[in-house]
Amino acid sequence: MKYYVTVPIYYVNAAPHIGHFYTTMVADALKRFKTMHGYDVVLTTGSDENSVNVERAAAARGMSPGDYSAIIAEEFQRTWRDTGLGVDRFFRTSDPRHHATVQWLFQRCQENGHIHKGSYTGQYCFSCNLYVNDAKAGDPCPDCGRPTETVTEENYFFKLSAFQDKLLALYDEQPDFMQPEIRRNEVRSFVKEGLKDLSITRSNLTWGIPVPVEGKHIFYVWFDALVTYLTAVRDENLWPADLHLIGKEIIRFHAIYWPAFLMAAGLPLPKRIFAHGWLLFENDKMSKSRGNIVRATPIQQVIGIDALRYFLLREVPFGADGSFSYDALVGRYNADLANGLGNLVSRTLSMIHQYRGGAVPSSQNDAGAEVAAKAQEVLATFSAAFEAFEFSRALESVWSLLGVVDKFIVKQAPWTLVKKTDEASQQTLDTTLYTAAEVVRLATVLLAPVLPESARKIWAQLGMNAPLESVRIDQLAWGQLAAGQKTLTPEPVFPRIDAKIAIPKMIELESVEKARQDALLGKAKKEEEAPSNIAPLEPVITIDDFGKVDLRVGRVLTAEKVKGSDKLLHLTVDIAEPQPRTIVAGIAEDYQPEPLIGRKVVIVANLQPRKLRGITSQGMIVAASLPDGPAFLAGFLEDAPIGARLK
RNA sequence: GCCGGUGUAGCUCAGGUGGUUAGAGCGACGGUCUCAUAAUCCGUAGGUCGUAGGUUCGACUCCUACCGCCGGCACCA
């Protein structure tokens, strides 16, 4: 039985961080879980290298796109190696085999009549690789806020519009195709609104995969990147994938474009797509500009990679956004891993050593029956939850078992039994120790996919001979632990962590790691200090060009929210004309209307009027912003006269 | 604005088809055992179950409106 799971190929615009780790680690845990059910699992990922952005970033560092990408691709692979993630194939989009697959897929679509040529003039965001509909020259990209650039191209189009009904049928007939359900609904309603044909080539780049035969056009990044899922296993009869694991930001590409491409080429569709949420840092979005990005390896160095794996799978309900914080991480570690699992292993093995010479006794009576029943129940609960991607619930069920055993041990009080010489007490002591050890064994197997390193240690301490990885979870049952087995002297698997020491250490190592990655990317020190999402400078203009822009000092007379819009404010502004100007400004998320009244602002006074939500905006208000940040209105420290022109 | 989700103890969350004193884990506090990693175990902590109405013999659980938060779409020229 095969199981093919993918995580995205990661874009080489950034070095790996905890978000990349999250997706990949979940895939790794699933892989281990499936392997322990007898599946041959293949996990693939790679690097997404073909884009103008990469070309530009490489050029800025005086490198070729290939060399630049290679450095980052290696950095990703190194991270997966260091953190023990079982990635089977790492595919670079620059790989010639991949080029062949993309071209092959294109030709199949073409043969089936789903490709046509057309021309396009519009605004394009090079940062996001996204065409922006209805935008004008220089308008900001709706996703990243950087200015869009005008492009006119003759391109190949994919007839996406022809797949609307088929896609809707897919979502309805195969509810598991897109999960969680929330995401499926979003995708469905998006498709229902209507699909436009998709331009799948570009003619303005050189770094990428050329269209077959003619060779002038380069494939659009998503026609390229998604196809690595095919390329990675092309000769292995593994397609279709059993699971695409993705982050919620790339749902549209996976749940709409990708199945449409495959349908057009007459290929089987992936069985399921699961989109997880984002990891926030203490409830804030992680971003370069906030400087709150966390990496996996510094955490690994201080408390081990298993602690991070456990935290992410236990603390965050899979699918929803989750919050990472060092406090919560250490809290989980101490409460669940050190005090819970680690301590149970420790006390169990220690008693077996002191009371029974380090050999697991056999169960003599039914003193442990309730624990056994609970364990059987947890075996079922755990696997069902894990299959359903409810990792948090799965882990919770194991800990509920650990809690039962801890209570059981106290109730039986082996330390009292050992002092009694009667047969019954000795039998109960044996049974108690066996019961505890059997729970440790079962829990260790169940937890192996989540805590691979630690489980292996516990397994060894228990004296188990068979390799843990080869144990079949679906064949686990109570009572399989062999009596007489020799255990090792326990050593703490999860030593308690002092948050006061560990957290500063992690933070310190984090900054070391960041510096190392920055150096790797050839970032200069000065550049590093500036927020890296500052919009790139526009091309040089002449003084005459600037002279065309008529900026005026104005005073806000009235301000109110525009009905039906989250972002628009309806302002009237006095710029010393007979009539005040009506201006619609997209600042409602950052400014309340009332406090604006009376405020002096800067207006672009000669902008072509435009209707917004039924109101004609006669100009534009000047504000500063970072791509994902709030707007700041321009103003004056002195009392600038209304109507004065800015030059 | 439209669509969807959500709002339960300090924190993270459970609470099919309405019905005795609303639950768990963590944290906090008190106590205990001593096998154990100052761990375990026991007990306590008493939260208007977002707000206001409504249906009902009875609602956290159903309905309506409103508020807050999250997401998608629209939109941010």
Side-chain angles (χ1 to χ4, degrees):
Chain A
M1 282 185 298
K2 68 94 184 174
Y3 190 87
Y4 173 30
V5 53
T6 73
V7 295
I9 58 170
Y10 298 110
Y11 196 25
V12 294
N13 67 339
H17 53 68
I18 197 169
H20 302 109
F21 176 79
Y22 183 45
T23 315
T24 315
M25 178 277 290
V26 171
D28 174 80
L30 268 170
K31 176 184 168 180
R32 293 172 192 271
F33 178 82
K34 282 288 179 185
T35 301
M36 293 176 77
H37 280 75
Y39 287 82
D40 293 317
V41 185
V42 172
L43 163 57
T44 70
T45 181
S47 52
D48 179 10
E49 307 179 2
N50 299 329
S51 88
V52 174
N53 248 17
V54 172
E55 234 176 337
R56 288 182 177 179
R61 293 167 175 84
M63 297 162 104
S64 75
D67 290 347
Y68 173 75
S69 299
I71 291 174
I72 305 198
E74 173 51 32
E75 177 68 5
F76 272 97
Q77 297 190 70
R78 196 188 64 81
T79 302
W80 306 150
R81 275 199 305 276
D82 289 354
T83 54
L85 301 187
V87 170
D88 297 296
R89 314 267 189 290
F90 187 99
F91 235 92
R92 300 181 54 189
T93 53
S94 50
D95 190 310
R97 284 171 295 173
H98 174 60
H99 288 210
T101 315
V102 171
Q103 292 171 337
W104 170 79
L105 184 76
F106 173 78
Q107 282 175 322
R108 287 194 63 146
C109 292
Q110 200 171 32
E111 284 159 20
N112 293 339
H114 299 298
I115 305 287
H116 62 275
K117 241 180 169 178
S119 83
Y120 177 90
T121 300
Q123 297 309 118
Y124 187 76
C125 174
F126 284 97
S127 184
C128 305
N129 288 306
L130 205 69
Y131 278 103
V132 183
N133 294 328
D134 307 324
K136 288 185 178 174
D139 283 356
C141 166
D143 278 0
C144 71
R146 293 177 175 83
T148 54
E149 299 178 31
T150 306
V151 293
T152 300
E153 303 183 68
E154 178 159 90
N155 275 320
Y156 291 90
F157 281 74
F158 175 79
K159 201 145 185 53
L160 188 62
S161 57
F163 290 88
Q164 182 169 346
D165 293 340
K166 285 180 190 170
L167 287 168
L168 288 173
L170 168 67
Y171 308 140
D172 289 339
E173 288 160 18
Q174 217 178 302
D176 278 359
F177 180 74
M178 179 71 237
Q179 289 182 293
E181 198 178 335
I182 273 204
R183 302 300 165 198
R184 190 191 66 161
N185 293 340
E186 276 172 20
V187 167
R188 198 217 264 112
S189 68
F190 184 88
V191 172
K192 248 185 175 158
E193 299 276 309
L195 295 173
K196 287 181 188 156
D197 289 347
L198 188 69
S199 167
I200 55 165
T201 61
R202 301 289 180 267
S203 57
N204 59 345
L205 28 142
T206 53
W207 172 241
I209 303 176
V211 170
V213 188
E214 59 109 273
K216 277 192 312 194
H217 290 81
I218 298 294
F219 283 109
Y220 168 57
V221 62
W222 283 105
F223 195 85
D224 166 350
L226 290 162
V227 179
T228 53
Y229 298 143
L230 276 179
T231 309
V233 297
R234 234 192 125 171
D235 306 321
E236 297 169 82
N237 199 26
L238 280 172
W239 190 259
D242 293 274
L243 174 67
H244 289 318
L245 215 51
I246 62 172
K248 66 181 183 183
E249 71 281 5
I250 50 178
I251 285 173
R252 199 180 302 173
F253 307 105
H254 283 78
I256 300 174
Y257 298 177
W258 183 225
F261 295 161
L262 292 167
M263 286 174 184
L267 294 170
L269 307 184
K271 293 185 186 153
R272 140 190 314 202
I273 299 167
F274 195 106
H276 67 247
W278 286 336
L279 281 183
L280 310 174
F281 184 80
E282 292 171 355
N283 292 318
D284 275 334
K285 199 170 163 181
M286 283 196 208
S287 71
K288 281 188 198 172
S289 61
R290 290 170 210 253
N292 60 358
I293 291 179
V294 174
R295 275 146 272 248
T297 44
I299 294 167
Q300 175 179 25
Q301 289 166 48
V302 177
I303 59 175
I305 202 66
D306 283 359
L308 180 58
R309 294 170 67 106
Y310 175 77
F311 174 84
L312 293 175
L313 291 173
R314 174 62 242 264
E315 184 88 359
V316 181
F318 196 60
D321 286 354
S323 186
F324 174 87
S325 76
Y326 290 110
D327 280 339
L329 172 68
V330 173
R332 277 283 174 204
Y333 178 96
N334 279 334
D336 295 355
L337 296 178
N339 298 354
L341 178 61
N343 185 57
L344 177 66
V345 172
S346 184
R347 67 194 306 205
T348 300
L349 295 183
S350 176
M351 286 189 284
I352 288 176
H353 262 263
Q354 293 176 45
Y355 303 157
R356 289 299 182 254
V360 177
S362 61
S363 181
Q364 304 278 343
N365 56 34
D366 62 356
E370 277 181 31
V371 176
K374 174 71 180 177
Q376 291 285 15
E377 175 200 316
V378 166
L379 288 179
T381 311
F382 178 87
S383 290
F386 215 97
E387 289 281 358
F389 306 112
E390 293 175 352
F391 307 114
S392 195
R393 277 178 190 261
L395 291 168
E396 211 179 334
S397 74
V398 174
W399 261 262
S400 74
L401 173 61
L402 303 186
V404 166
V405 189
D406 269 333
K407 290 182 205 359
F408 168 75
I409 291 173
V410 168
K411 190 177 136 210
Q412 299 300 334
W415 43 92
T416 307
L417 291 173
V418 74
K419 291 172 189 157
K420 297 183 181 170
T421 51
D422 63 289
E423 178 108 352
S425 294
Q426 290 305 312
Q427 288 183 347
T428 299
L429 174 56
D430 280 351
T431 304
T432 301
L433 297 181
Y434 181 86
T435 301
E438 179 62 340
V439 164
V440 167
R441 178 191 144 257
L442 293 174
T444 302
V445 174
L446 294 183
L447 294 173
V450 176
L451 307 170
E453 276 182 17
S454 321
R456 218 172 289 133
K457 285 185 199 163
I458 297 170
W459 199 244
Q461 291 189 12
L462 246 191
M464 305 299 296
N465 289 320
L468 177 56
E469 296 74 20
S470 67
V471 177
R472 289 283 292 267
I473 290 177
D474 51 337
Q475 291 168 9
L476 268 189
W478 182 265
Q480 293 165 329
L481 176 62
Q485 177 164 306
K486 281 283 182 187
T487 62
L488 307 184
T489 321
E491 276 177 48
V493 179
F494 301 105
R496 269 188 76 83
I497 295 289
D498 184 345
K500 285 194 205 75
I501 297 167
I503 293 177
K505 186 73 186 162
M506 284 189 272
I507 291 170
E508 184 200 326
L509 287 173
E510 168 57 36
S511 69
V512 171
E513 176 67 356
K514 179 181 186 309
R516 190 191 63 78
Q517 286 187 344
D518 286 347
L520 192 73
L521 297 177
K523 265 188 202 166
K525 259 262 151 59
K526 280 179 195 163
E527 198 184 337
E528 179 188 318
E529 285 159 17
S532 50
N533 65 341
I534 295 286
L537 285 183
E538 297 294 331
V540 169
I541 60 169
T542 65
I543 185 91
D544 293 339
D545 288 333
F546 177 67
K548 293 176 188 167
V549 183
D550 195 331
L551 299 172
R552 299 295 175 125
V553 178
R555 185 204 303 275
V556 178
L557 298 177
T558 66
E560 58 188 57
K561 288 205 163 193
V562 174
K563 271 201 170 177
S565 166
D566 292 341
K567 303 191 179 176
L568 299 180
L569 285 187
H570 180 179
L571 309 173
T572 53
V573 182
D574 176 12
I575 56 170
E577 292 175 320
Q579 294 294 322
R581 293 276 187 122
T582 294
I583 289 180
V584 180
I587 54 171
E589 288 179 331
D590 306 309
Y591 286 92
Q592 291 297 313
E594 293 76 23
L596 288 177
I597 294 170
R599 177 162 172 167
K600 281 186 181 170
V601 293
V602 177
I603 298 300
V604 183
N606 62 337
L607 200 64
Q608 186 175 31
R610 162 153 171 171
K611 235 181 190 182
L612 280 170
R613 288 254 151 208
I615 304 165
T616 302
S617 182
Q618 305 163 314
M620 176 175 146
I621 194 160
V622 175
S625 66
L626 289 172
D628 55 356
F632 300 91
L633 288 179
F636 299 92
L637 295 176
E638 287 81 26
D639 195 22
I642 306 295
R645 181 164 181 197
L646 282 80
K647 283 191 273 197

